[in-house]
Amino acid sequence: MLIKRDKWLQYRILRSRSSLARRLPKTQLLNKNTLAKMLRRYHSVVLKPRDGSYGMNIVFIKRYGANTYQVQNENNAVTMRGTEKVLKWLRKRNKGRGYIVQRRLQLAQIRHKPFDMRIMTQRKKGVSSAWNVTGSYAKVAAQGYLVTNVTGRPIPVLKALKLAKIGNRSLLVKAERVALLASKRLGERYPKLRQVGFDIGIDRKHRVWIIEGNYRPDLRPFRRLKDSSMHRRIIWYKKH
């Protein structure tokens, strides 16, 4: 079965497992009604291309008052009135691309900048092979940005949790467990799937969330970690 890079499809696959549904921020296909409804309910949402990658073309929207919105793409923020104007602006920038609208998570922060984790899961060849966590690191948003990325050397997760003052190894263990459950569910749908790079968020109440899974994750940040064992382990799994 073809592995399709589609955030909406992935959300529906993961949501079908009750143990994972509560780990997913509420998500809908973007249209005028869903955007207005989500903004009324959550006040702050994220718009993502269904086929997007590398954090590109992601838009954050925050509601102020009844019909006024702050729209931010990368480090540029503008104020607009009415969801119709927001959608018109989006269509002009990204012609023909389908989007999802997702509840924005209030991620834990390091020095007032949001961060999340990349957790790498892999399995050896063979449908019956078990999934394993083979690496992880933390990604921190650059100053003025809301999308997390690796602006310098990636940060070990335990160090990031300590800097954020939100917990210890138990949170990492919980996040890894969630990533493994999600890998198993996606692997049931795609028997040939052997690796997923999950973006896992921890909110300010220490709850663990699945932001999304990447089927072709960028491995370069693992090479930049001081501890090279994760990168060696990931390459070993790719070969076996």
Side-chain angles (χ1 to χ4, degrees), residues 123-147:
R123 61 177 173 177
K124 294 186 290 186
K125 294 176 183 177
V127 177
S128 61
S129 296
W131 286 91
N132 294 278
V133 172
T134 53
S136 64
Y137 61 85
K139 302 179 280 131
V140 185
Q143 189 66 43
Y145 288 74
L146 299 175
V147 175

Side-chain angles (χ1 to χ4, degrees), residues 157-184:
V157 171
L158 292 178
K159 181 179 178 179
L161 295 175
K162 183 177 179 180
L163 289 171
K165 300 177 182 178
I166 61 169
N168 50 32
R169 183 176 292 275
S170 64
L171 264 181
L172 174 57
V173 171
K174 183 182 292 186
E176 290 179 343
R177 189 180 303 125
V178 169
L180 288 171
L181 285 172
S183 299
K184 184 177 180 181

Side-chain angles (χ1 to χ4, degrees), residues 111-127:
R111 300 186 184 96
H112 307 292
K113 294 179 286 188
F115 82 96
D116 61 25
M117 297 177 285
R118 168 59 56 88
I119 295 182
M120 187 77 176
T121 63
Q122 293 173 281
R123 61 177 173 177
K124 294 186 290 186
K125 294 176 183 177
V127 177

Side-chain angles (χ1 to χ4, degrees), residues 43-219:
H43 297 277
S44 187
V45 301
V46 187
L47 309 185
K48 301 178 181 180
R50 289 178 63 170
D51 62 349
S53 58
Y54 297 106
M56 297 178 65
N57 299 304
I58 291 179
V59 178
F60 294 83
I61 304 176
K62 189 172 184 178
R63 179 165 70 90
Y64 292 99
N67 203 32
T68 303
Y69 307 96
Q70 182 187 70
V71 181
Q72 180 168 343
N73 173 239
E74 296 184 348
N75 63 339
N76 302 306
V78 295
T79 300
M80 299 183 188
R81 290 189 60 82
T83 53
E84 288 185 2
K85 190 170 183 179
V86 173
L87 290 172
K88 184 177 180 181
W89 172 85
L90 187 67
R91 285 193 295 267
K92 187 176 180 179
R93 290 173 55 90
N94 303 285
K95 295 179 181 178
R97 298 189 77 177
Y99 268 74
I100 58 172
V101 53
Q102 190 174 75
R103 172 191 175 188
R104 180 185 170 192
L105 300 173
Q106 297 303 311
L107 294 174
Q109 298 185 346
I110 296 175
R111 300 186 184 96
H112 307 292
K113 294 179 286 188
F115 82 96
D116 61 25
M117 297 177 285
R118 168 59 56 88
I119 295 182
M120 187 77 176
T121 63
Q122 293 173 281
R123 61 177 173 177
K124 294 186 290 186
K125 294 176 183 177
V127 177
S128 61
S129 296
W131 286 91
N132 294 278
V133 172
T134 53
S136 64
Y137 61 85
K139 302 179 280 131
V140 185
Q143 189 66 43
Y145 288 74
L146 299 175
V147 175
T148 61
N149 53 34
V150 182
T151 55
R153 186 181 292 275
I155 303 173
V157 171
L158 292 178
K159 181 179 178 179
L161 295 175
K162 183 177 179 180
L163 289 171
K165 300 177 182 178
I166 61 169
N168 50 32
R169 183 176 292 275
S170 64
L171 264 181
L172 174 57
V173 171
K174 183 182 292 186
E176 290 179 343
R177 189 180 303 125
V178 169
L180 288 171
L181 285 172
S183 299
K184 184 177 180 181
R185 178 68 192 100
L186 292 172
E188 291 168 353
R189 176 63 180 261
Y190 302 116
K192 293 184 178 180
L193 181 66
R194 294 185 53 222
Q195 66 173 15
V196 188
F198 283 100
D199 291 330
I200 302 290
I202 298 176
D203 68 18
R204 296 174 188 176
K205 295 183 178 180
H206 302 184
R207 291 174 296 195
V208 175
W209 298 89
I210 302 170
I211 299 173
E212 63 183 56
N214 302 274
Y215 302 132
R216 292 184 289 276
D218 184 2
L219 302 182

